Amino acid sequence: MQQGLKSELTKQIIVDEAFKQFYEQGFKTTSIDKIMKASKLTKGAFYHHYSNKKQLALEVIALKVQKRVSNSMILPLYESGDVIAILESTFLNRIKSFNGYEKQHGCPMNNLINEIGDSETAYQLALKHIVNTWKSALIALIDRGKSEKTIRENVPSKATAIYLISAFEGVRGIRKLYDDDMILDDYLLGLSDYIKQLQA
């Protein structure tokens, strides 16, 4: 195997395992030792690629967390079609798609926001970048709906975007706390009703 390819594969293993450990065990309780033991790699391999846990965490946010949010919650907002239908399918279908593992551990991004979002400027900027990208996509979609007369003209685009993101992220934490799918069922009813109220 070429050295460059082997090096990239090693980095991918470390990032994947770090994401898994952060998600399941929490960021603060996950040490470099735990990550390397679980990945069956040496600490030398870690320090060949990363200076410290902070550098690794920023890569996990950029390569794993951002990709998840982008693929599931942002890119669908740019699809063509009816704006109300896009909002419903993006938010409602995503909630319905979560498996038991994802329900148990909540949202990776929200977990990191709650655990380290106020502890380090670099983490704040990385996590804010994801939220801001999501918010901008929602605002653009809502504004498109207004111009197409499918969303009420007096709907505040920015406030609606923030509300949709906050409610979605919040319910994942509440579901994790209660370990009860009824939380998600009630949320789906409320969210569906809210989205219908946006309709022109």
Side-chain angles (χ1 to χ4, degrees):
M1 184 183 296
Q2 294 180 347
Q3 188 59 39
L5 179 58
K6 183 178 180 183
S7 180
E8 283 304 309
L9 286 173
T10 299
K11 278 187 76 173
Q12 188 62 58
I13 290 169
I14 295 170
V15 168
D16 288 347
E17 190 57 48
F19 172 78
K20 182 174 183 287
Q21 293 291 323
F22 294 163
Y23 190 34
E24 294 179 358
Q25 309 299 327
F27 176 83
K28 291 180 179 176
T29 59
T30 298
S31 64
I32 292 169
D33 284 337
K34 281 184 181 178
I35 295 168
M36 301 318 292
K37 183 177 180 181
S39 64
K40 297 179 173 58
L41 295 170
T42 65
K43 284 185 79 171
F46 174 87
Y47 286 109
H48 177 73
H49 296 288
Y50 301 101
S51 301
N52 49 43
K53 184 180 171 183
K54 175 182 170 182
Q55 188 182 21
L56 172 60
L58 291 172
E59 190 138 320
V60 167
I61 292 170
L63 297 180
K64 300 293 286 186
V65 179
Q66 183 172 319
K67 184 177 180 182
R68 283 172 58 98
V69 177
S70 180
N71 287 345
S72 62
M73 301 305 298
I74 297 174
L75 291 178
L77 301 176
Y78 288 104
E79 293 177 1
S80 60
D82 179 72
V83 169
I84 293 293
I86 290 170
L87 285 172
E88 288 177 337
S89 65
T90 301
F91 283 88
L92 302 180
N93 291 346
R94 182 60 177 154
I95 286 289
K96 292 174 185 176
S97 75
F98 291 128
N99 58 35
Y101 174 80
E102 292 171 308
K103 291 174 183 177
Q104 179 185 356
H105 296 291
C107 172
M109 180 176 73
N110 198 38
N111 292 349
L112 288 170
I113 288 171
N114 287 325
E115 194 173 5
I116 61 173
D118 62 347
S119 65
E120 179 81 44
T121 302
Y123 298 146
Q124 290 175 348
L125 291 174
L127 293 164
K128 280 181 183 178
H129 173 71
I130 301 172
V131 175
N132 285 336
T133 303
W134 189 2
K135 181 176 69 175
S136 295
L138 274 168
I139 290 170
L141 179 68
I142 293 163
D143 286 343
R144 176 164 77 82
K146 289 183 193 179
S147 69
E148 294 172 355
K149 311 295 185 188
T150 56
I151 286 187
R152 290 185 291 107
E153 193 175 317
N154 64 343
V155 168
S157 301
K158 182 180 175 183
T160 302
I162 290 292
Y163 177 78
L164 286 169
I165 292 170
S166 300
F168 182 86
E169 291 298 310
V171 79
R172 297 210 52 202
I174 294 171
R175 165 60 181 81
K176 181 172 71 168
L177 176 68
Y178 280 85
D179 192 23
D180 185 349
D181 281 348
M182 285 297 295
I183 295 291
L184 296 183
D185 293 340
D186 288 339
Y187 166 77
L188 287 170
L189 286 172
L191 180 62
S192 180
D193 186 58
Y194 177 77
I195 292 174
K196 282 181 172 59
Q197 291 177 41
L198 303 175
Q199 196 162 8

